[in-house]
Amino acid sequence: MKVKVDIIRASYVSIIIGYILTLTTIPQGDVIGSAFTSIGLILALYKILFLNHYKIRQYFLLIIVGILFFVSAYRTRNYQFAITFIFILSATRMSIDKLIAIDLKVRIPLIFIVCALGYYGVILNRFDYDIRGFGLDRQAFGFTHPNNLGAMMMVIAIYLFYKKHKNFRVQDYLLLLFADYICWSVAVSRTSSIIITGVILVECLDSIVSFFVKGMLLQKIKHIAINIAGLLTLVIPLGSIYLGMNYSTTPFYIALDSLFNSRFYLMHTAFKNNGITLLGQYIKVISWTSNVIAEETNAVDNLYGYILINFGTIFFTVVILTLVISYIYASKKDERKICLCILFFIIAGFCENKMLYIGTNIFTLYIAVALYQSSMKIRK
């Protein structure tokens, strides 16, 4: 069993390092990152082929879902979901606690090194003017885009919430406030800042409620709150699609787009330009700057609109169903902090389209619930 666990950890570390490196301005970072990712995938495939055991019905389900993932990857030229799928298959019976612990030991030092190199000019520190009207220059601190820096800060905050929930100390709050400052004032990544603020508020609120309410009443309140919050697993994805498809130049949409940096206008134009397919399509995306007409970008930052337009209706349906199933599974197992972490990423997906890759969201492992059903065992 120790060999299996070591393979999973080594695979995960390689994939995480590879993913982060591809988001940096380190010379040949994408090439080096791809090499690390390849090593991680080889280890994951070895475990799938030689160490994992499946029932006959599971083989059929895995083959069907696997074909869907790889056809979508081929058609879109985006392989991150396929990488995520392979790791999900390999990581059954693995402890999420242990994976997050090793993730933080790798992610925090690596991000610190990248930021230090970018800050001191050893590698390119990209600046981007905030077109939303805040009048601030955005810095990426060695990452390819300020939003990538913000996303890394947000991931660290959510993982720390998972590890420290109910045991937050002053230094933990200070660390999250520092990450929030980086997102708000340096990267000017509003989505990541809002999520980190949400993490802090949820932890504070939980502590306050737990102090004044005790026993069964407290458990009932939390159970009801988690069940009601679970509606967001459908409301946010489907609401995003509705808003994007039905965009119009009304005061409501103008105000909404002003708040969310024209995301729904851009989603609407991408829908109009490319339509929706069953199995996805390759769409060339042009970064949106002041020199590019918005209708020509095809840029969709909303995760759910991005999946539907790029990967097609079948893939979109599978993703939404597995998100819902994952949340239900976690709530039935009374894993409230996992429910909250899933919700943090779902809400972040409203404005960021990378929130379901294994490199940014370890809780995609809960998608394995849909594949393994009652036999799926990801230990606490």
Side-chain angles (χ1 to χ4, degrees):
M1 180 64 185
K2 187 176 185 299
V3 174
K4 297 178 186 179
V5 171
D6 288 345
I7 287 175
I8 294 174
R9 290 179 184 175
S11 172
Y12 183 73
V13 168
S14 294
I15 290 173
I16 293 303
I17 292 175
Y19 180 77
I20 293 174
L21 288 177
T22 60
L23 300 179
T24 71
T25 59
I26 293 174
Q28 300 298 311
D30 54 342
V31 176
I32 301 171
S34 296
F36 271 99
T37 301
S38 298
I39 293 170
L41 288 176
I42 290 170
L43 292 172
L45 287 170
Y46 175 82
K47 184 171 186 298
I48 292 169
L49 295 174
F50 300 106
L51 299 177
N52 283 1
H53 302 284
Y54 307 104
K55 297 178 181 179
I56 297 297
R57 61 182 178 83
Q58 289 174 339
Y59 271 114
F60 283 110
L61 185 58
L62 295 178
I63 290 171
I64 292 171
V65 176
I67 289 173
L68 172 62
F69 270 73
F70 288 103
V71 167
S72 297
Y74 174 77
R75 290 175 64 88
T76 61
R77 304 183 196 176
N78 181 331
Y79 300 97
Q80 285 299 325
F81 281 117
I83 292 169
T84 299
F85 177 71
I86 291 172
F87 186 79
I88 286 171
L89 295 187
S90 71
T92 54
R93 300 179 180 272
M94 182 59 201
S95 167
I96 284 186
D97 274 17
K98 292 178 180 178
L99 281 181
I100 288 183
I102 195 170
D103 181 292
L104 290 172
K105 290 177 182 178
V106 172
R107 191 182 298 267
I108 292 177
L110 183 53
I111 291 173
F112 176 81
I113 291 170
V114 172
C115 289
L117 292 175
Y119 179 79
Y120 287 107
V122 179
I123 60 176
L124 178 63
N125 180 18
R126 287 185 174 166
F127 284 78
D128 181 29
Y129 184 72
D130 184 15
I131 59 177
R132 289 166 290 193
F134 290 100
L136 299 172
D137 284 329
R138 312 173 69 191
Q139 297 188 58
F141 276 8
F143 285 90
T144 54
H145 192 279
N147 281 346
N148 290 330
L149 170 60
M152 291 299 103
M153 295 293 106
M154 182 188 70
V155 171
I156 290 173
I158 294 174
Y159 288 2
L160 283 175
F161 170 82
Y162 178 84
K163 292 295 292 182
K164 296 278 191 173
H165 182 50
K166 293 185 178 299
N167 294 298
F168 263 56
R169 298 180 179 179
V170 173
Q171 60 264 34
D172 299 316
Y173 283 111
L174 291 175
L175 180 59
L176 291 189
L177 287 171
F178 176 72
D180 205 351
Y181 167 79
I182 294 294
C183 291
W184 187 264
S185 299
V186 177
V188 195
S189 180
R190 303 303 182 193
T191 300
S192 297
S193 178
I194 290 169
I195 296 299
I196 295 173
T197 301
V199 169
I200 296 171
L201 291 176
V202 167
E203 184 64 28
C204 289
L205 181 62
D206 184 86
S207 299
I208 293 170
V209 171
S210 298
F211 180 80
F212 288 103
V213 183
K214 306 291 183 180
M216 291 300 297
L217 178 59
L218 175 63
Q219 298 305 314
K220 185 172 292 187
I221 291 173
K222 290 185 176 181
H223 181 72
I224 293 172
I226 288 295
N227 286 340
I228 293 174
L231 295 173
L232 295 176
T233 59
L234 279 175
V235 170
I236 291 178
L238 299 183
S240 297
I241 300 302
Y242 176 83
L243 290 170
M245 285 185 166
N246 293 279
Y247 177 88
S248 61
T249 55
T250 62
F252 168 75
Y253 273 105
I254 292 173
L256 188 69
D257 256 8
S258 176
L259 182 62
F260 291 105
N261 193 21
S262 299
R263 276 173 167 80
F264 296 102
Y265 169 59
L266 292 172
M267 193 196 313
H268 180 75
T269 56
F271 275 125
K272 184 174 63 177
N273 292 343
N274 304 285
I276 301 172
T277 63
L278 281 176
L279 293 174
Q281 57 190 317
Y282 171 68
I283 299 174
K284 185 177 181 180
V285 177
I286 304 171
S287 296
W288 185 24
T289 69
S290 58
N291 298 321
V292 177
I293 299 174
E295 286 84 350
E296 298 176 353
T297 68
N298 287 319
V300 180
D301 287 328
N302 178 277
L303 171 65
Y304 314 104
Y306 174 80
I307 291 175
L308 182 57
I309 295 171
N310 287 267
F311 291 87
T313 53
I314 296 176
F315 192 90
F316 173 81
T317 303
V318 169
V319 168
I320 300 307
L321 287 176
T322 50
L323 281 176
V324 173
I325 291 171
S326 300
Y327 189 91
I328 292 173
Y329 179 85
S331 63
K332 284 185 175 180
K333 294 295 181 180
D334 206 27
E335 292 281 9
R336 295 192 184 102
K337 64 180 179 181
I338 289 183
C339 289
L340 290 170
C341 290
I342 290 173
L343 285 177
F344 288 141
F345 281 111
I346 288 176
I347 294 169
F350 198 73
C351 295
E352 300 292 343
N353 62 22
K354 299 176 182 176
M355 292 298 103
L356 288 181
Y357 299 158
I358 192 66
T360 52
N361 183 358
I362 196 173
F363 298 100
T364 53
L365 283 177
Y366 262 73
I367 292 176
V369 176
L371 301 177
Y372 295 94
Q373 298 177 4
S374 60
S375 64
M376 201 284 290
K377 298 181 185 298
I378 297 180
R379 296 195 305 274
K380 181 178 177 183

